[in-house]
Amino acid sequence: RLQPVRHRADNQWRGDDRFVRITYDPKGPSDVSVDPLAANDDREPVPLDLRTGTVDALSAAYTASLNGRNCHDTIKVFDGRRRYNILTRAAGQQQTSGPAYQGPAFLCELELRRIAGHSKSPWLPPSDEETGRIWFANVSADWPPIPVRFEIDILLGSVTVHLQSATARDLD
């Protein structure tokens, strides 16, 4: 299982700066710093016991991509504000088409289940179903399957992300 070392996120919401800093030990987040604090952000803080064994959102996405064809997992996520699970399940092979890849791909379906720390008055009402799909393909004989297409449905509409290019680089 992937083990993050630290997570950092900086953003703005309605003109206000926000940040999250998380440091991890083998059990999960060991030090969490956020601004604004939950009490000032219309949410309940996530209890410490619900943070154990979690990863950040980027590590969750990477874990899902590593699982590729073995897409059957529950990934526990704590993003510094919210706690949720991402459930993955295999949905077979399909044809997909995009700018960098056209052909057969393995489909992995995603479901997000809210656990704690979500806004008490979100700007969009929470959806009963928060789902997505990732297509994995072998774009090179030397590589493991990588994500070539990602779709997620949100209340405002659907978001589709396609792989634009893929190149190998030497990391030495």
Side-chain angles (χ1 to χ4, degrees), residues 2-162:
L2 188 66
Q3 174 64 51
V5 175
R6 69 183 153 269
H7 169 78
R8 175 184 174 145
D10 296 282
N11 58 34
Q12 284 191 346
W13 177 248
R14 297 180 176 167
D16 294 328
D17 291 334
R18 303 166 64 88
F19 71 81
V20 172
R21 307 283 185 271
I22 305 174
T23 305
Y24 292 85
D25 65 24
K27 294 180 183 176
S30 58
D31 183 44
V32 178
S33 177
V34 299
D35 185 44
L37 297 172
N40 300 328
D41 200 28
D42 197 30
R43 66 181 75 237
E44 294 292 326
V46 175
L48 293 176
D49 63 318
L50 289 179
R51 300 176 186 186
T52 302
T54 62
V55 296
D56 62 284
L58 184 59
S59 295
Y62 189 65
T63 297
S65 73
L66 289 176
N67 289 344
R69 294 183 186 272
N70 302 318
C71 174
H72 182 75
D73 201 357
T74 298
I75 305 167
K76 297 177 181 180
V77 180
F78 172 64
D79 66 7
R81 301 182 194 285
R82 294 164 296 270
R83 171 67 175 83
Y84 52 93
N85 287 344
I86 298 175
L87 287 69
T88 63
R89 62 186 159 275
Q93 187 129 336
Q94 289 188 353
Q95 292 292 107
T96 189
S97 181
Y101 178 82
Q102 299 84 35
F106 184 79
L107 176 58
C108 182
E109 294 179 337
L110 310 173
E111 179 183 347
L112 186 140
R113 294 213 179 136
R114 294 171 180 240
I115 306 295
H118 296 275
S119 178
K120 295 177 192 173
S121 56
W123 66 282
L124 284 175
S127 173
D128 289 337
E129 268 190 43
E130 296 179 272
T131 61
R133 293 158 298 287
I134 303 176
W135 285 260
F136 295 92
N138 291 94
V139 299
S140 170
D142 298 331
W143 298 2
I146 64 170
V148 295
R149 179 183 176 110
F150 172 74
E151 292 180 357
I152 189 165
D153 300 319
I154 60 174
L155 288 175
L156 295 174
S158 297
V159 176
T160 301
V161 178
H162 288 278

